[in-house]
Amino acid sequence: MADTDSGKSFKRRDQLLEMEHEVRKWWDESHVFNAEAHDQPPKEGDKFFGTFPFPYMNGYLHLGHAFSLSKLEFAAAYHRLRGANVLLPFGFHCTGMPIKASADKLRREIEKFGNPPVFPSEEVVNEPEPEPKPNEGNNPEKFKGKKSKVASKTGRETYQWEIMRGYGLSDAEIATFQDPVQWLRFFPPLAVEDLKAFGLGADWRRSFITTDINPFFDKFVRWQMRKLKSFGKIVKDLRYTIYSPLDGQPCADHDRASGEGVIPQEYTLIKMEVVLPFPPKFAHLEGKKVYLAAATLRPETMYGQTNSWVLPDGKYGAFEINESEVFILTERAARNLAYQRLSRVPEKATCIVELTGQDLIGLPLRSPLSFNEIIYCLPMLSVLTDKGTGIVTSVPSDSPDDFMALQDLKAKAPFRAKFGVKDEWVLPFEVIPIISHPEFGDKSAEKICTDMKIKSQNEREKLDAAKKVIYKGGFYEGTMIAGEYAGMRVQDAKNLIRSKLLELNQAVVYSEPEKKVMSRSGDECVVALTDQWYLTYGESSWRQTAEECLANMNLYSDETRHGFEHTLSWLNQWACSRSFGLGTRIPWDEEFLVESLSDSTIYMAYYTVCHLLQKGDLFGVDTSTVKPEQLTDDVWDYLFLSGPEPQSSDISSTLLKKMRQEFQYWYPVDLRVSGKDLIQNHLTFCIYNHTAIFPKEHWPRGFRCNGHIMLNSEKMSKSTGNFRTLKQAIEEFSADATRFSLADAGDGMDDANFVFETANAAILRLTKERAWMEEVLAAESTLRVGPPSIYADRVFANEMNFAIKMTQKNYSDYMFREALKSGFYDLQAARDEYRFSCGSTGMNRDLLWRFMDIQTRLIAPICPHYSEYVWKKLLKKQGFVIKAGWPEAENPDLTLQMANRYLQESITNFRKLLLKQASGGSKKGSNNKAGNLSKPTIGLIFVNEQYDGWKRECLNILRDKFDSQNRKFAPDQEILQALQQSTVGQEGNFKQIQKLCMPFLRFKKDEVMTLGTQALDLRLPFGEIEVLQENLELIKRQIGLEHVEILSATDSDAVSKAGRHASLLKQTPPSPGSPTAIFLTKDGMLISDCDISVFFF
């Protein structure tokens, strides 16, 4: 197959590739995917407009893109097949920093190492950047390998030139990528070719690239930004934002190599003044105010300070904040402060003295709000220097960590001596109650440590659990019992206390990334206080309209809805301008560019008119019909907002009306498909921007989000080689086998799994199915003609009806794995069963022709090339299968399906029993003489079509105890009591009766939940004897007997046929769904008997 290491043939794979190539020529010649708006507005279901977040064009498309995109492609193909007018456009994102950063990196490498560059001689093979998530469109093709151990240890950088070589580019070609525009001209056309090979049903006339390289899209984004500003949705303000010092601008999610979704974490920085005289190491600080700067999230607890904590071997420094003040903290925290206007030199942390934690131990401090006039700096081994400032305030009344650390220091003199801690710095300080906790009192940390038997500050898991309980309860339910806000709830007092500290200059606001963030330029980001343009996401009235939009959207899973609700709860102002990269200029402040996530929120509207403006050119170079400068705001308002016809425009009225008609026909977007990682930014921004600019009737209707994709149950990764570009996958498996495996990979929010074995199996299945159809068509004259007449015909026709109905539901719900099961696997199984069931009678020609038609249509959304080829070449149908219409079906007969399942399960069990007996399958050590017996030739199958005895009584009780309105049974105790009072329950030892009846009662209760109350009927909904009798020849053929009789266990004459073995019918009596079989040899010797249970679900 496609596995080159297996030595297998590529013949079948190549057969699919040849079919795909031929089919795509047919599609291209007929422009089958070009979508045109109709003159009349569409009714519900008449049109389908689906979109996919355009991928970023700094590399080739990979299977991560293909997986998310396949969900849209399958949905669009289904709607096209059922007869809807479908628009699936596809654009390419080039806005932002990554392309420009990579181009600049190439230029610097040439300047430093030559052209082509000669890198340092160290033997190193390239390692790629971290793997992006689906829809980010990051780096392409397969990489060569990983760094050597030496390189990994020394941190040898990855050169952009080597990455480009990994794309298969020559050195001469790579040199041209110093120009960012080259990336735009190189990768998008290749992506178009790959997507066409994939079979994407896109209207390629509507494709475009972003940035001001495309003057038409540039005009659209400028209109969008002006519109938002006019509505008060864009403001200029000072705000904390994640910022790349190297790039000199905010670093949004798509500008990050790691840390997507990380936001600023705000602290209160407590200024703990170092009391004079200074120690010798502080000599350079004389004449300045020196503070240990402690970051806290709980300023309301500062009344209870007993000391501060530092990491003894931690690295600290004394940094100038202004002309007179010095903060002692970590260099990382000082760097953040420098970008928050808290450094003597803006954006530069200036260190006067380098210090260690040991240098700080014993410093006397005067700390704001503390009831202790002087406290001391003490050692704590669990202080983190990569979070906060590395300086921690100690409040042992309400912090389990602080309490245990202080107790350890008090109790362990050797520990104090190790770090030079004097007794007077520790022993006099006691816990100061400041907050009353509803469960743990006014010394909550001490109480919970005692309750949890925590003995040391090293018991991290226990302390973390204790901290969670105390902090949550103290904040939400606690009451202040100290300070001027005593008696007030903690959550009310917190902001008042914080405001007072800031007002008195006893604290400052400090912010840092809540987790580490690395920009794509390779530097660690900080939080900066920037004066720039912001979108006012989170503003109360705008958030309300966004929530209204969300409430009316179809999101296809509760997990997706919860993700959006959570994002709306925290999302706040978003920096929408950048000073570096590619994109559109802020129209009123052209020093800045529109940030990459902010030009990507309503571009779906641009798809509706793009083909009329750009005339099918990706780059918008054709200005023969419309010139970009003609696209004024009143033109866009006319097209998208039902504004008045622009009188001053020299664009023809006919074209303007045509463009407006296109928008009004296609909008709103019916479905947008994306990876779940975009919920926290792009997709929520899309909702916000639509509600701000468009009327309600044009708000998006549905978003479908999926997880990421693994390859063969492992994370997709270039560095390990477990990676495929889209082109590689198509070349290895074919487009349709790739699509087949993508459909099979999974549909939910959990990560899906693309399995190579499934793709290879798809190659085999599709080519074998084609061969089978060719054989059937060639042997048409040997098939049975006339209307369907036998039992197997009725069953097969019924299974096709089921497949049509179930597959339609699965496609409609966008559950493509289930659609593949019901529309392909189950239908194939039904065909195979039919082929065997017909036996010498032969298969019906009309049913087989209907099967080939139905099978071809149902699989068409997933495997369109295969289906199109079969439709045209084998079935000789007119038109295209992708637009053939959904097959019609009669209402499926559930009873017939149950009857056939009963038949097939019965045959399977008969066969298993005979095989077991033939192999001497009795228990080990028994005296089994079956191997010496003659082969059985006779089968007596006894059926009891109605429950009687204790089973009848159980069913009557369950019917009586079932609430059909609420679909609930009475409690088990009530059912048990009814059983005890019944005729059966009065007959003997009730414990034995209970043991007999309870499994049956439980089974039937479960069956009711699946099938409904018909599961409590005394008879099955079909005649068992009739079903078995009608298929007598099939039963004989399948189990290999010469003579089989179907007999009623309630007919004494029939029972007499069992002769001396009739007693077996009392030992294992048949009941509905459970026939009893007796197998005999010609001389009447018993081989076996069997009570067979056939259950229906």
Side-chain angles (χ1 to χ4, degrees):
M1 229 76 82
D3 187 351
T4 57
D5 295 328
S6 69
K8 293 181 180 179
S9 169
F10 291 92
K11 183 177 179 181
R12 290 182 181 273
R13 191 261 335 255
D14 292 345
Q15 186 183 92
L16 289 179
L17 289 171
E18 289 168 9
M19 288 164 52
E20 290 166 2
H21 180 72
E22 186 171 2
V23 167
R24 284 196 297 276
K25 283 171 56 179
W26 301 342
W27 288 343
D28 289 344
E29 290 166 0
S30 298
H31 309 293
V32 292
F33 299 122
N34 287 4
E36 302 294 347
H38 296 170
D39 293 336
Q40 297 300 315
K43 297 177 182 177
E44 188 66 30
D46 282 355
K47 67 91 180 175
F48 175 82
F49 179 21
T51 63
F52 172 80
F54 40 29
Y56 197 75
M57 283 290 97
N58 63 341
Y60 299 114
L61 298 178
H62 54 67
L63 275 181
H65 296 109
F67 175 63
S68 293
L69 178 58
S70 71
K71 305 305 180 186
L72 173 63
E73 162 67 0
F74 298 155
Y78 160 68
H79 288 293
R80 187 183 296 112
L81 174 62
R82 69 170 181 80
N85 191 13
V86 171
L87 172 57
L88 194 169
F90 201 94
F92 301 97
H93 201 202
C94 306
T95 305
M97 205 192 82
I99 288 175
K100 182 69 164 63
S102 295
D104 288 351
K105 196 173 180 185
L106 281 175
R107 178 177 47 77
R108 290 194 296 269
E109 289 170 5
I110 289 173
E111 290 172 354
K112 187 173 182 181
F113 301 111
N115 185 6
V118 178
F119 297 118
S121 59
E122 182 180 352
E123 290 188 6
V124 177
V125 187
N126 169 62
E127 182 178 61
E129 295 177 5
E131 172 60 25
K133 295 176 182 176
N135 297 338
E136 284 188 4
N138 199 28
N139 289 337
E141 294 284 2
K142 202 170 180 180
F143 281 78
K144 304 299 183 185
K146 293 187 286 185
K147 290 184 183 180
S148 66
K149 290 182 180 179
V150 174
S152 296
K153 290 178 181 178
T154 58
R156 194 269 209 189
E157 68 174 299
T158 300
Y159 294 110
Q160 185 65 40
W161 197 282
E162 293 175 321
I163 294 174
M164 303 301 282
R165 280 175 177 163
Y167 299 169
L169 299 172
S170 69
D171 285 343
E173 289 173 314
I174 295 172
T176 66
F177 284 84
Q178 296 176 78
D179 179 2
V181 175
Q182 174 63 10
W183 297 70
L184 279 58
R185 302 210 175 277
F186 183 80
F187 286 112
L190 292 179
V192 171
E193 292 307 310
D194 290 347
L195 291 168
K196 285 182 177 179
F198 183 62
L200 184 70
D203 183 348
W204 294 109
R205 301 171 304 159
R206 301 174 189 256
S207 293
F208 61 89
I209 65 162
T210 65
T211 75
D212 53 8
I213 299 296
N214 180 350
F216 293 99
F217 185 72
D218 183 67
K219 289 292 184 183
F220 170 77
V221 175
R222 286 170 175 265
W223 166 78
Q224 172 194 347
M225 300 304 286
R226 279 193 292 264
K227 213 73 193 168
L228 290 168
K229 188 171 185 289
S230 71
F231 294 149
K233 306 301 183 186
I234 297 179
V235 298
K236 196 169 190 181
D237 203 355
L238 278 173
R239 286 289 182 271
Y240 290 102
T241 188
I242 306 293
Y243 187 90
S244 167
L246 183 60
D247 297 329
Q249 63 180 8
C251 188
D253 279 358
H254 282 192
D255 299 329
R256 301 175 187 177
S258 63
E260 185 173 347
V262 173
I263 60 176
Q265 171 69 66
E266 189 171 284
Y267 294 89
T268 304
L269 212 62
I270 304 299
K271 296 166 67 174
M272 309 172 78
E273 185 178 0
V274 179
V275 178
L276 294 172
F278 291 162
K281 194 137 189 184
F282 283 38
H284 292 292
L285 306 181
E286 292 290 347
K288 294 183 180 290
K289 289 278 190 179
V290 180
Y291 302 94
L292 265 61
T296 182
L297 297 172
R298 302 201 62 193
E300 74 279 8
T301 66
M302 292 302 100
Y303 298 106
Q305 295 175 83
T306 57
N307 60 281
S308 74
W309 302 113
V310 293
L311 184 68
D313 59 357
K315 294 181 179 180
Y316 298 87
F319 294 89
E320 290 184 287
I321 300 303
N322 50 45
E323 294 295 335
S324 60
E325 292 184 318
V326 171
F327 283 3
I328 295 175
L329 32 60
T330 61
E331 190 278 334
R332 186 191 62 84
R335 185 169 179 254
N336 275 274
L337 282 173
Y339 285 89
Q340 296 166 30
R341 307 191 177 189
L342 286 170
S343 177
R344 189 178 66 81
V345 179
E347 300 187 357
K348 183 179 180 182
T350 55
C351 182
I352 304 175
V353 180
E354 292 183 355
L355 302 163
T356 67
Q358 188 63 53
D359 296 328
L360 307 179
I361 293 172
L363 284 179
L365 307 170
R366 188 174 291 113
S367 191
L369 300 184
S370 174
F371 289 159
N372 290 304
E373 183 178 355
I374 299 294
I375 60 176
Y376 294 91
C377 186
L378 302 175
M380 187 187 212
L381 303 183
S382 60
V383 170
L384 300 176
T385 56
D386 59 354
K387 197 170 187 66
T389 62
I391 309 290
V392 182
T393 59
S394 175
V395 184
S397 59
D398 291 81
S399 167
D401 286 306
D402 294 345
F403 176 76
M404 289 312 306
L406 189 61
Q407 293 306 111
D408 280 355
L409 271 175
K410 284 188 173 187
K412 300 174 182 178
F415 187 44
R416 296 198 299 274
K418 178 180 179 180
F419 296 105
V421 175
K422 296 180 180 179
D423 290 355
E424 59 266 29
W425 299 346
V426 181
L427 299 182
F429 294 89
E430 299 296 335
V431 171
I432 302 171
I434 55 171
I435 292 172
S436 176
H437 191 288
E439 184 178 354
F440 296 97
D442 59 9
K443 295 181 180 179
S444 58
E446 180 177 358
K447 178 71 165 59
I448 198 170
C449 287
T450 301
D451 291 354
M452 293 180 67
K453 299 179 181 178
I454 300 173
K455 304 297 184 184
S456 162
Q457 63 179 308
N458 298 321
E459 297 183 58
R460 287 279 14 117
E461 288 188 14
K462 284 187 177 182
L463 283 169
D464 289 343
K467 176 180 176 180
K468 188 174 182 180
V469 171
I470 295 301
Y471 279 24
K472 184 177 180 181
F475 180 74
Y476 289 106
E477 302 174 54
T479 303
M480 299 295 301
I481 59 174
E484 63 180 290
Y485 300 102
M488 186 179 289
R489 291 193 311 166
V490 170
Q491 58 182 315
D492 296 330
K494 175 177 180 174
N495 286 333
L496 295 174
I497 294 170
R498 182 175 188 266
S499 297
K500 181 178 179 181
L501 286 167
L502 296 175
E503 182 182 339
L504 295 175
N505 196 29
Q506 294 176 334
V508 296
V509 176
Y510 167 69
S511 197
E512 67 181 26
E514 58 183 359
K515 294 178 183 176
K516 187 175 182 178
V517 177
M518 296 298 294
S519 78
R520 291 192 184 274
S521 295
D523 71 318
E524 183 175 350
C525 293
V526 298
V527 168
L529 188 59
T530 58
D531 182 18
Q532 64 158 318
W533 296 103
Y534 290 89
L535 280 154
T536 60
Y537 300 142
E539 185 271 320
S540 60
S541 61
W542 198 5
R543 175 177 163 181
Q544 283 180 354
T545 58
E547 290 171 337
E548 180 187 351
C549 175
L550 183 70
N552 292 306
M553 290 175 67
N554 192 342
L555 300 177
Y556 303 96
S557 83
D558 290 339
E559 188 178 351
T560 300
R561 187 169 298 280
H562 295 156
F564 277 103
E565 290 169 347
H566 176 65
T567 300
L568 286 172
S569 73
W570 62 259
L571 183 61
N572 213 322
Q573 290 191 340
W574 183 266
C576 62
S577 59
R578 295 289 181 270
S579 56
F580 175 78
L582 304 177
T584 292
R585 295 282 166 185
I586 297 282
W588 59 87
D589 192 352
E590 298 217 357
E591 175 188 351
F592 295 102
L593 293 155
V594 178
E595 174 266 335
S596 65
L597 281 167
S598 298
D599 77 345
S600 312
T601 56
I602 64 165
Y603 68 89
M604 313 90 201
Y606 185 71
Y607 279 133
T608 65
V609 299
C610 172
H611 62 308
L612 299 173
L613 295 173
Q614 297 187 204
K615 302 183 73 173
D617 180 78
L618 272 176
F619 307 97
V621 297
D622 188 338
T623 60
S624 60
T625 302
V626 178
K627 292 180 172 53
E629 56 269 22
Q630 293 175 295
L631 295 171
T632 57
D633 284 4
D634 55 349
V635 169
W636 294 116
D637 287 349
Y638 172 77
L639 298 182
F640 297 145
L641 302 179
S642 298
E645 185 170 352
Q647 299 301 313
S648 60
S649 177
D650 49 4
I651 301 174
S652 75
S653 178
T654 302
L655 180 57
L656 286 171
K657 289 177 180 178
K658 172 61 177 171
M659 288 193 288
R660 180 148 92 166
Q661 178 202 0
E662 284 274 342
F663 172 76
Q664 292 180 342
Y665 178 86
W666 292 114
Y667 239 63
V669 174
D670 297 291
L671 179 69
R672 188 159 180 78
V673 172
S674 168
K676 62 186 178 183
D677 51 307
L678 295 190
I679 291 175
Q680 65 191 7
N681 43 57
H682 163 72
L683 293 176
T684 302
F685 296 175
C686 178
I687 292 174
Y688 263 117
N689 279 261
H690 272 84
T691 60
I693 293 175
F694 296 107
K696 287 184 181 179
E697 62 266 24
H698 289 150
W699 291 358
R701 289 181 176 174
F703 289 162
R704 188 194 185 286
C705 297
N706 52 262
H708 304 141
I709 192 162
M710 298 184 290
L711 299 189
N712 300 319
S713 301
E714 294 182 4
K715 181 181 177 182
M716 194 164 74
S717 169
K718 299 183 188 74
S719 63
T720 64
N722 193 44
F723 181 83
R724 291 294 186 280
T725 65
L726 177 56
K727 182 179 181 181
Q728 287 172 335
I730 294 169
E731 290 174 345
E732 187 170 357
F733 303 115
S734 79
D736 279 0
T738 298
R739 293 168 65 113
F740 190 104
S741 194
L742 288 169
D744 188 70
D747 290 309
M749 287 276 278
D750 293 335
D751 288 351
N753 188 25
F754 182 97
V755 181
F756 289 6
E757 186 178 322
T758 302
N760 279 320
I763 296 172
L764 183 61
R765 277 183 169 273
L766 294 174
T767 52
K768 286 182 71 173
E769 186 66 11
R770 170 185 162 177
W772 177 82
M773 288 187 183
E774 289 171 339
E775 289 173 8
V776 169
L777 292 165
E780 179 179 0
S781 60
T782 66
L783 298 173
R784 176 164 48 90
V785 295
S789 56
I790 64 175
Y791 181 85
D793 290 348
R794 297 198 304 275
V795 169
F796 187 36
N798 191 50
E799 289 302 314
M800 286 191 281
N801 288 332
F802 267 107
I804 292 168
K805 294 290 187 180
M806 285 303 302
T807 306
Q808 184 172 30
K809 181 182 185 304
N810 290 329
Y811 274 130
S812 297
D813 293 340
Y814 304 145
M815 299 300 290
F816 304 114
R817 189 177 193 174
E818 293 303 310
L820 186 63
K821 179 182 181 298
S822 61
F824 186 75
Y825 288 117
D826 290 352
L827 198 51
Q828 293 270 299
R831 187 273 314 275
D832 292 343
E833 180 185 293
Y834 175 63
R835 187 164 41 173
F836 193 85
S837 297
C838 286
S840 60
T841 308
M843 295 182 287
N844 180 272
R845 185 257 186 209
D846 292 346
L847 281 179
L848 287 185
W849 259 241
R850 175 163 167 74
F851 165 78
M852 289 188 286
D853 180 296
I854 290 169
Q855 176 72 97
T856 304
R857 295 197 216 195
L858 297 194
I859 196 66
I862 295 172
C863 299
H865 306 89
Y866 162 82
S867 295
E868 200 69 79
Y869 186 90
V870 168
W871 188 258
K872 188 178 290 286
K873 288 283 193 177
L874 274 59
L875 303 183
K876 309 298 183 184
K877 300 274 190 175
Q878 297 298 311
F880 292 95
V881 70
I882 60 173
K883 294 184 176 181
W886 192 256
E888 295 182 0
E890 297 177 0
N891 287 328
D893 185 340
L894 183 61
T895 300
L896 177 58
Q897 188 182 58
M898 292 174 64
N900 185 59
R901 200 171 296 170
Y902 163 85
L903 170 66
Q904 299 300 330
E905 291 288 344
S906 296
I907 291 173
T908 299
N909 287 327
F910 294 153
R911 189 167 55 243
K912 285 180 179 178
L913 179 66
L914 281 172
L915 286 172
K916 179 179 178 182
Q917 295 301 324
S919 63
S922 61
K923 290 184 180 179
K924 188 175 181 180
S926 66
N927 185 20
N928 181 13
K929 299 179 181 179
N932 300 321
L933 296 178
S934 302
K935 181 180 178 181
T937 59
I938 300 168
L940 304 179
I941 299 173
F942 289 91
V943 177
N944 186 351
E945 296 188 312
Q946 183 167 304
Y947 286 109
D948 50 23
W950 63 269
K951 289 185 177 179
R952 174 194 286 268
E953 193 71 41
C954 287
L955 291 172
N956 288 336
I957 290 170
L958 289 178
R959 270 198 301 273
D960 185 53
K961 298 300 180 182
F962 183 67
D963 180 351
S964 57
Q965 185 173 354
N966 296 313
R967 287 182 56 80
K968 286 176 62 178
F969 281 100
D972 286 348
Q973 194 59 40
E974 189 176 326
I975 293 173
L976 201 59
Q977 187 177 1
L979 177 64
Q980 188 170 15
Q981 295 170 356
S982 69
T983 306
V984 172
Q986 300 294 316
E987 286 180 351
N989 186 324
F990 182 67
K991 284 191 175 180
Q992 291 182 351
I993 292 169
Q994 182 180 350
K995 186 177 180 181
L996 176 70
C997 294
M998 286 309 292
F1000 181 72
L1001 287 167
R1002 281 194 295 269
F1003 167 71
K1004 281 296 178 180
K1005 284 172 66 177
D1006 291 342
E1007 201 174 33
V1008 168
M1009 295 298 106
T1010 304
L1011 293 177
T1013 54
Q1014 71 180 44
L1016 301 178
D1017 292 344
L1018 297 178
R1019 304 173 66 95
L1020 297 180
F1022 55 87
E1024 295 178 62
I1025 292 177
E1026 180 184 354
V1027 169
L1028 295 173
Q1029 192 67 48
E1030 190 172 358
N1031 290 278
L1032 207 55
E1033 289 303 314
L1034 175 65
I1035 295 171
K1036 287 194 293 183
R1037 188 169 74 251
Q1038 289 227 28
I1039 64 177
L1041 296 180
E1042 295 176 8
H1043 180 76
V1044 174
E1045 289 189 61
I1046 312 300
L1047 304 167
S1048 171
T1050 60
D1051 182 345
S1052 58
D1053 292 338
V1055 171
S1056 67
K1057 290 188 177 185
R1060 66 182 184 275
H1061 308 302
S1063 60
L1064 294 172
L1065 297 176
K1066 292 183 179 179
Q1067 295 174 21
T1068 54
S1071 62
S1074 301
T1076 295
I1078 297 176
F1079 298 120
L1080 305 168
T1081 61
K1082 282 185 178 179
D1083 58 6
M1085 184 172 289
L1086 174 71
I1087 294 297
S1088 62
D1089 68 281
C1090 175
D1091 175 30
I1092 300 169
S1093 295
V1094 182
F1095 305 133
F1096 305 99
F1097 300 98

